[in-house]
Amino acid sequence: VANINCYITQMLAASLGLKLFDVSRRILMYTKETDEYKRIYAVCRGTFPIHELCGTMTALLLARRDVVGDNLPQWKIIGPAVFLHAMANFRGMKPIFKWNSSTPWSEMQINRLKKDDNGYIWKQLIPQTYSKLVWMTILFRVFGFCIKNYYLVGRQAMKRTTTYSGKLYAFNAKLQTDAMLKKTKND
């Protein structure tokens, strides 16, 4: 296999399927007649790309192992996605005994905004902004990691099948040389 798109496509399909079932399960928990924010909750819950980023990271590391030939242990393939998903879960998770509550916005840490005496809502947003900016920065960095590695692994896979076709040892030597140069450049 010279193309890593099949890895990305399959993992994104699996991630979107998991996301669909997770969002559906969470929405179906809010079945009381007084629960009027189901649709807003579904849209807000669907905007966080946690499942997609985790699936893409795992697919890229699998492609690096299978297509490029890097020797990656299983924990290095699954570990970053598990860590990111755990951070997302602990960011907005409620204890198990409160899973069937009627406040879905508390899972995503979206507080209900109320106008104060002066009618200003923005005063409530300022204390919450820093943690949300940090979380968005983490998500954008992971997205950048995925884009960078998509092109890097794709180029390496193409070189392996075209330039270094039948020359596995030369390709492995090039990968090791690049890794050593990268380490000396960082030091």
Side-chain angles (χ1 to χ4, degrees), residues 1-125:
V1 177
N3 196 345
I4 64 169
N5 288 337
C6 60
Y7 285 89
I8 302 293
T9 305
Q10 290 171 355
M11 285 301 267
L12 278 178
S15 299
L16 288 173
L18 284 172
K19 186 175 201 169
L20 174 70
F21 286 114
D22 183 42
V23 169
S24 300
R25 179 188 62 86
R26 290 176 189 266
I27 291 172
L28 292 174
M29 287 191 317
Y30 307 105
T31 57
K32 298 176 185 168
E33 291 183 20
T34 59
D35 296 338
E36 55 196 44
Y37 299 108
K38 284 186 194 182
R39 290 187 184 112
I40 294 171
Y41 177 60
V43 170
C44 289
R45 184 89 182 158
T47 59
F48 288 105
I50 301 302
H51 290 282
E52 293 86 353
L53 287 174
C54 291
T56 303
M57 283 192 324
T58 304
L60 287 169
L61 292 171
L62 275 172
R64 178 176 280 172
R65 183 191 70 186
D66 295 345
V67 177
V68 176
D70 280 355
N71 188 15
L72 292 175
Q74 196 74 18
W75 66 270
K76 280 191 177 180
I77 294 172
I78 299 173
V82 169
F83 182 71
L84 178 67
H85 206 284
M87 282 185 5
N89 283 343
F90 289 127
R91 181 181 175 271
M93 189 167 200
K94 295 188 288 188
I96 291 176
F97 63 89
K98 291 200 172 206
W99 275 3
N100 206 10
S101 69
S102 61
T103 57
W105 46 86
S106 67
E107 283 186 24
M108 297 178 350
Q109 295 182 355
I110 298 174
N111 298 331
R112 295 178 92 178
L113 300 175
K114 299 175 186 170
K115 288 186 179 180
D116 60 359
D117 297 334
N118 298 331
Y120 296 118
I121 294 178
W122 62 271
K123 288 182 182 179
Q124 298 174 28
L125 292 175

